[in-house]
């Protein structure tokens, strides 16, 4: 079957699939009960993960980013430039393999971090980009600041191919060799899917864990001896 959806139709389809798969969340355009509002650009009226506005972000970041046709062009503080190019032609192919679209969907001015949403034919992910160097980090959802704003945590889970990758990421808000990133991806045979439930202090992320065999239970990721550790439900 020939793929002929426009990018608007793709975005709408992804949003619909995410929302339908997680209707219990109760927040439009969200796959979580607690979608992050951190980094949402000035003037953005959305509340979910996938209704963030590129237009408001472009207006806020100024020369850092601009939309150049099918490309999102970023100009970093060190003078280098990178273009994240939408693969629109691949989205018109028979199987849409390699179909991808990049959108600027967040900015953290305190730490000069840019958030890019990456939309695929099925599903989405995000990139957190350091505006000074252009270093980018793959994360599973728009992140939440810790109370001291030293850390950013992303948590996501969904059923089926339409959602984000299942897992978690904890990233320091500033680049510091002594503060290492932590990434977790739920294995294919993993029993638990996790949802962000809040920070408890600056070294413990509260989680809700769910499985097909029972109700949601509490879990957490905790920082001990300079490292993050997942406490799986028992």
């Amino acid at each position: 079957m020939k793929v002929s959806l426009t990018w608007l139709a793709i975005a709408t389809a992804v949003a619909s699939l995410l929302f339908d798969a997680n209707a219990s969340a109760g927040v439009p355009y969200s796959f979580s009960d607690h979608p992050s509002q951190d980094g949402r650009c000035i003037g953005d009226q959305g509340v979910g993960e996938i209704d963030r506005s590129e237009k408001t972000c472009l207006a806020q970041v100024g020369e850092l980013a601009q939309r150049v046709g099918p490309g999102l062009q970023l100009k970093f503080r060190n003078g280098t430039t990178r273009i994240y190019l939408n693969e629109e032609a691949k989205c018109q192919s028979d199987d849409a393999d390699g179909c991808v679209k990049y959108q600027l969907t967040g900015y953290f001015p305190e730490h000069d971090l840019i958030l890019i949403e990456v939309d695929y034919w099925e599903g989405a992910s995000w990139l957190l980009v350091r505006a000074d160097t252009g270093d980018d980090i793959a994360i599973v959802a728009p992140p939440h600041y810790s109370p001291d704003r030293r850390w950013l945590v992303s948590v996501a889970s969904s059923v089926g191919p339409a959602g984000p990758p299942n897992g978690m990421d904890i990233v320091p808000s500033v680049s510091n060799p002594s503060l290492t990133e932590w990434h977790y991806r739920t294995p294919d045979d993993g029993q638990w899917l996790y949802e962000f439930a809040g920070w408890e202090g600056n070294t413990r992320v509260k989680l809700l864990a769910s499985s097909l065999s029972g109700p949601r239970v509490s879990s957490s990721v905790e920082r001990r001896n300079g490292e993050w550790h997942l406490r799986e439900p028992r």
Side-chain angles (χ1 to χ4, degrees):
M1 180 179 65
K2 186 71 172 178
V3 177
S4 59
L5 291 178
T6 64
W7 271 118
L8 178 60
I10 292 172
T12 302
V14 170
S16 176
L17 285 166
L18 286 171
F19 181 68
D20 290 346
N22 301 276
S24 62
V27 181
Y29 304 105
S30 175
F31 47 84
S32 166
D33 285 335
H34 303 91
S36 174
Q37 303 307 308
D38 294 328
R40 191 176 291 275
C41 293
I42 297 171
D44 187 340
Q45 300 300 311
V47 295
E49 284 97 344
I50 54 174
D51 61 351
R52 288 174 170 241
S53 166
E54 180 175 84
K55 181 179 179 180
T56 60
C57 286
L58 289 171
Q60 181 175 348
V61 303
E63 294 183 354
L64 271 178
Q66 59 179 316
R67 173 62 62 182
V68 182
L72 174 63
Q73 179 177 294
L74 301 186
K75 184 176 182 181
F76 304 115
R77 307 291 186 191
N78 63 8
T80 62
T81 299
R82 181 183 305 143
I83 296 178
Y84 294 88
L85 185 64
N86 296 345
E87 296 290 352
E88 296 182 2
K90 294 180 179 179
C91 297
Q92 304 299 322
S93 67
D94 291 340
D95 59 8
D97 185 36
C99 173
V100 64
K101 177 186 178 182
Y102 299 95
Q103 297 185 81
L104 175 63
T105 56
Y107 180 56
F108 300 79
E110 181 179 345
H111 296 104
D112 212 15
L113 295 168
I114 297 166
L115 183 67
I116 297 177
E117 180 182 322
V118 188
D119 296 316
Y120 308 101
W121 182 250
E122 289 185 317
S125 63
W126 283 261
L127 292 171
L128 196 61
V129 186
R130 299 195 184 277
D132 56 346
T133 63
D135 294 339
D136 57 23
I137 306 162
I139 57 177
V140 296
H144 301 256
Y145 265 129
S146 60
D148 63 1
R149 306 176 83 79
R150 193 180 188 187
W151 297 96
L152 287 157
V153 60
S154 299
V155 184
S157 62
S158 63
V159 178
N166 294 328
M168 291 170 272
D169 306 285
I170 302 179
V171 177
S173 55
V174 297
S175 182
N176 185 331
S178 68
L179 301 176
T180 57
E181 303 167 11
W182 180 81
H183 303 278
Y184 172 84
R185 295 296 178 267
T186 304
D188 292 340
D189 59 352
Q191 178 183 358
W192 300 101
L193 296 176
Y194 296 96
E195 181 180 341
F196 176 80
W199 282 89
E200 187 174 284
N202 298 300
T203 58
R204 184 171 186 266
V205 180
K206 297 186 294 182
L207 304 169
L208 289 175
S210 60
S211 71
L212 297 178
S213 60
R216 293 193 297 180
V217 296
S218 297
S219 181
S220 65
V221 181
E222 299 178 3
R223 186 168 174 80
R224 302 189 303 271
N225 300 320
E227 296 182 352
W228 294 96
H229 301 271
L230 172 63
R231 296 185 61 184
E232 292 188 315
R234 298 184 181 275

